[in-house]
Amino acid sequence: MASKHDGRYLVGITGNIGSGKTTVSKLFEEFGAIRISADELAKKYSDPGTPIKEELRQIFGDAIFDENGNPIKSKIAELAFTDKSKLEAMNALIHPLVRKDFRTLIEKSPEGSVIAWEVPLLFETDAHLLCDKTVCVYLDHKNAWSRVESRGGMKKEDYEHRSLAQLPMDKKKSLSDFSIPNDNSIEELRILTKRVFDSINDLAKGFK
């Protein structure tokens, strides 16, 4: 049986907001994987100089731009996560662009690579269908919010709206091949992540 990406073994990593999926994907990188973040790829599409400025204007109007004509990310998030039609329109616009950028990075990766692909909406956007294996990082809602709150930049209301736009955590866990709890220390998370990485790396060796 061949891998889905010409000898590259793709691992989709997901979880709820504040669960620690970024930490886990970076641990995968530390253990030898190539890390790709869907959020980091998407960032350029809402940064100053975005190539889709007019398309964003069509969805959200002029209110999302500052006096210099640059997108205001907090305003985009506020409108998107309180209006399902705007969220769907934004996802329909940005996700194919991110997917294209992602495929370019995959093609540039050496054959035999294990690739840790961090995707918040892994199952919601059917991105899991591209993956050889999937991993869910999970943490209860209360503690996940505490972590989000401690790093700042998001209101509780925004957190709740964003959470509602995702599948319930139990559903994500049931759909994933591996699950990693993140309710203990970073040392414990490292041990659990290494265990999962080693299992996946052993599987990947059979595809090389």
Side-chain angles (χ1 to χ4, degrees):
M1 183 178 178
S3 68
K4 297 182 180 181
H5 300 278
D6 297 325
R8 303 163 184 91
Y9 202 81
L10 182 62
V11 183
I13 300 176
T14 194
N16 55 335
I17 305 167
S19 65
K21 54 189 176 293
T22 298
T23 301
V24 167
S25 70
K26 288 180 176 179
L27 284 171
F28 263 66
E29 183 177 36
E30 182 182 316
F31 300 146
I34 294 173
R35 177 178 175 267
I36 300 175
S37 165
D39 277 354
E40 290 170 14
L41 292 178
K43 186 174 179 288
K44 72 176 182 181
Y45 295 109
S46 57
D47 275 348
T50 172
I52 57 168
K53 182 175 180 178
E54 292 310 312
E55 289 88 342
L56 290 173
R57 191 189 306 277
Q58 289 173 17
I59 296 172
F60 298 106
D62 293 328
I64 65 164
F65 297 100
D66 64 20
E67 63 273 13
N68 297 315
N70 294 319
I72 305 170
K73 293 183 181 182
S74 60
K75 192 65 179 177
I76 293 174
E78 176 187 335
L79 293 173
F81 290 103
T82 55
D83 185 327
K84 187 177 180 181
S85 64
K86 284 183 169 57
L87 178 62
E88 289 175 347
M90 181 181 72
N91 287 342
L93 171 65
I94 293 179
H95 285 166
L97 297 171
V98 170
R99 196 71 59 85
K100 182 180 178 181
D101 294 341
F102 156 77
R103 287 186 183 279
T104 299
L105 290 175
I106 290 285
E107 289 167 5
K108 291 180 178 178
S109 301
E111 287 191 22
S113 301
V114 172
I115 299 172
W117 186 28
E118 180 191 340
V119 191
L121 301 178
L122 183 70
F123 297 107
E124 294 87 341
T125 61
D126 287 335
H128 67 288
L129 298 175
L130 299 173
C131 298
D132 294 295
K133 290 296 176 184
T134 55
V135 177
C136 177
V137 186
Y138 65 93
L139 181 66
D140 67 87
H141 193 76
K142 181 180 178 181
N143 284 315
W145 161 244
S146 293
R147 292 185 181 182
V148 171
E149 184 180 31
S150 67
R151 67 193 185 208
M154 188 183 297
K155 299 176 182 176
K156 179 71 181 300
E157 183 180 9
D158 293 337
Y159 172 78
E160 296 297 346
H161 283 310
R162 293 184 186 216
S163 295
L164 288 172
Q166 298 191 11
L167 287 173
M169 181 47 54
D170 286 347
K171 183 66 173 177
K172 289 192 179 192
K173 286 169 60 179
S174 68
L175 291 170
S176 297
D177 297 303
F178 298 89
S179 294
I180 301 176
N182 186 19
D183 55 359
N184 211 311
S185 65
I186 184 64
E187 291 79 13
E188 179 68 15
L189 180 64
R190 178 185 294 275
I191 291 168
L192 295 174
T193 301
K194 185 63 162 65
R195 192 175 298 159
V196 170
F197 175 82
D198 287 345
S199 295
I200 289 174
N201 201 36
D202 286 342
L203 291 169
K205 289 175 182 175
F207 289 83
K208 296 176 183 178

